[in-house]
Amino acid sequence: SSGAIAGIEVSTSAQLLDAINKAKAGDTILVHGGTYALSTPLAASADGTDTRKITLRAHPSDSKRPKFDFSAMAESSSNRGMVLSGDYWYIYGIDFYKAGDNCLFISGARNTVEFSTFSECSDSGLQLSTGANNNLILNCDSFYNADSALENADGFASKLDVGSGNKFVGCRAWNNLDDGWDGYLRGTDNVTTTYENCWAFRNGYLKSGSLGA
């Protein structure tokens, strides 16, 4: 059809796992709208390049968004939703939901995550650490993230041993149990994180509206 994007089309959880496991520089993974039930973390370890990124995006012809549903996971620090250790990925239009830890954890570099959401996960919706650097988070929302102890889930967290040059543009964090944005550094020096046109509101409150611990 005219205007079609060439790529690897996925419409089931098994196809999604397979495409991410086999991803290589220059690949485009087109995720059809709908819910993808996932019980193990999505490990995205392949690297793209500056000119040949690895793209994981909502299929442009679908009106329904893809939802990566990790609600089968138990709450545990090993049960992150998606773990992006690769470089030069472009992720667009995905809803990450209810992982046992972070919805999306990034340790890679020069990735872009755009127009995606992170909600109801048991730790920070999107976390950047372990040297993550020069990533762009653009027009994303993180909300309703809360752990069972009611003390430790942020909206966006560029923290701990994170690298420098990460940037949030046009992002919104609300009703996250702990901070909307956590920038606490530990054992890192000369780290700069940039926030541009970002919002934080009603953090410290649960989805129900009640006050967290």
Side-chain angles (χ1 to χ4, degrees), residues 138-195:
L138 177 62
N139 296 337
C140 288
D141 288 338
S142 193
F143 53 96
Y144 302 156
N145 295 294
D147 61 326
S148 57
L150 300 186
E151 59 180 343
N152 193 39
D154 310 306
F156 298 98
S158 179
K159 67 181 182 181
L160 299 175
D161 51 359
V162 73
S164 199
N166 297 299
K167 191 170 187 179
F168 296 88
V169 179
C171 294
R172 302 179 295 185
W174 74 88
N175 278 79
N176 297 292
L177 176 71
D178 195 3
D179 307 303
W181 311 82
D182 190 343
Y184 170 71
L185 299 177
R186 186 169 64 204
T188 49
D189 293 308
N190 302 315
V191 165
T192 299
T193 303
T194 303
Y195 305 89

Side-chain angles (χ1 to χ4, degrees), residues 1 8 20 38 54 93-94 124 138-139 142 163 180 210:
S1 64
I8 301 148
I20 288 175
L38 298 154
I54 299 172
I94 310 285
S124 303
L138 177 62
N139 296 337
S142 193
S210 65

Side-chain angles (χ1 to χ4, degrees), residues 97-140:
Y97 177 72
K98 228 175 175 75
D101 194 73
N102 305 125
C103 289
L104 173 60
F105 179 89
I106 300 176
S107 61
R110 302 191 183 278
N111 300 292
T112 297
V113 182
E114 182 177 0
F115 195 46
S116 294
T117 71
F118 312 93
S119 66
E120 298 191 46
C121 290
S122 296
D123 203 340
S124 303
L126 185 152
Q127 182 162 330
L128 298 155
S129 56
T130 323
N133 66 88
N134 296 292
N135 296 287
L136 171 63
I137 314 302
L138 177 62
N139 296 337
C140 288

